[in-house]
Amino acid sequence: MELLGSDASPFVRKARVLVAEAGITDVPYVQVTATPMGGEERLNSANPLGKIPALVRDGGPTIYDSNVVCRFLDDRAQAGLYPAGRLWETLTLEATGDGIMEAAVGIVYEKRLRPEELWWNDWFDAQWLKVTRSLDALERQWMSHLYGPLDMGQVSVACALGYLDLRHGDRDWRGGRDALAAWYKRFAERPSMVATAPE
């Protein structure tokens, strides 16, 4: 079994944090190149969508999409990062983190893959508005869950915030969100987060 991914991807980082937190030692991480315009053949042959992370299994088809990969690995390791007692809250928080990632990655792709004269500023604004609304919701109504026992909702949010620092450091996501910023500062010190931090 192999986990295919790229260090800069927040979706891959989410799976790698789970691997570390669950103490999984038999799933090697393999760096691949992936872009919306087509990644390397090793990835495309494993995942027809060419997206990461992709979990190549010895005894079955490749599993892909970060949520599917994480649920599979959590179940396999019996790590309990999708706790039954608060499953819907965990999944909703995970979806919020993933949504922040999707919007933030969308801005990066628009700038990276299209000529500057074709950049769509309304797109940038709409995607960033999704990010800020989500951050405000986290600050307003999710702090008690974020400070609760570890689950994949927290991991997703932390990886999303780390990606904002990586690719959108010129935007002040912490402004007016002191509680969220304090939580992230503490969470980012976890060994799993330190070990998976992109260069």
Side-chain angles (χ1 to χ4, degrees), residues 12 16 18 55 75 93 112 116 124 150 156 163 177 193:
V12 171
R16 292 178 67 207
L18 183 151
L55 185 67
D75 182 72
L93 192 58
R112 184 174 293 169
E116 186 171 355
F124 296 147
L150 179 68
S156 178
Y163 188 77
R177 303 180 186 99
M193 291 290 290

Side-chain angles (χ1 to χ4, degrees), residues 99-114:
I100 293 171
M101 296 179 204
E102 289 166 3
V105 169
I107 294 171
V108 170
Y109 282 161
E110 175 76 7
K111 288 188 173 181
R112 184 174 293 169
L113 301 174
R114 287 166 61 94

Side-chain angles (χ1 to χ4, degrees), residues 106-172:
I107 294 171
V108 170
Y109 282 161
E110 175 76 7
K111 288 188 173 181
R112 184 174 293 169
L113 301 174
R114 287 166 61 94
E116 186 171 355
E117 64 271 15
L118 297 179
W119 288 357
W120 189 10
N121 288 320
D122 289 347
W123 168 263
F124 296 147
D125 293 344
Q127 299 312 301
W128 192 250
L129 184 58
K130 293 178 185 179
V131 171
T132 58
R133 284 197 310 251
S134 298
L135 295 174
D136 289 342
L138 292 171
E139 176 82 8
R140 185 176 60 249
Q141 63 194 46
W142 285 98
M143 293 313 304
S144 62
H145 189 111
L146 287 172
Y147 275 109
L150 179 68
D151 62 34
M152 283 308 296
Q154 297 165 12
V155 171
S156 178
V157 169
C159 291
L161 298 180
Y163 188 77
L164 295 183
D165 283 344
L166 177 69
R167 297 294 191 215
H168 299 283
D170 57 330
R171 300 178 186 254
D172 180 21

Side-chain angles (χ1 to χ4, degrees), residues 25-150:
T25 58
D26 61 346
V27 180
Y29 170 60
V30 179
Q31 283 262 25
V32 294
T33 301
T35 78
M37 306 304 289
E40 64 182 76
E41 182 54 31
R42 178 175 189 170
L43 172 62
N44 294 336
S45 63
N47 176 359
L49 299 174
K51 297 174 72 174
I52 50 177
L55 185 67
V56 180
R57 298 185 296 163
D58 302 325
T62 298
I63 292 176
Y64 44 87
D65 185 274
S66 66
N67 291 342
V68 180
V69 170
C70 289
R71 288 297 294 268
F72 175 85
L73 290 173
D74 178 76
D75 182 72
R76 178 176 179 265
Q78 294 296 293
L81 294 175
Y82 291 94
R86 57 182 197 283
L87 179 61
W88 305 117
E89 291 79 7
T90 299
L91 292 175
T92 301
L93 192 58
E94 183 180 27
T96 303
D98 288 0
I100 293 171
M101 296 179 204
E102 289 166 3
V105 169
I107 294 171
V108 170
Y109 282 161
E110 175 76 7
K111 288 188 173 181
R112 184 174 293 169
L113 301 174
R114 287 166 61 94
E116 186 171 355
E117 64 271 15
L118 297 179
W119 288 357
W120 189 10
N121 288 320
D122 289 347
W123 168 263
F124 296 147
D125 293 344
Q127 299 312 301
W128 192 250
L129 184 58
K130 293 178 185 179
V131 171
T132 58
R133 284 197 310 251
S134 298
L135 295 174
D136 289 342
L138 292 171
E139 176 82 8
R140 185 176 60 249
Q141 63 194 46
W142 285 98
M143 293 313 304
S144 62
H145 189 111
L146 287 172
Y147 275 109
L150 179 68

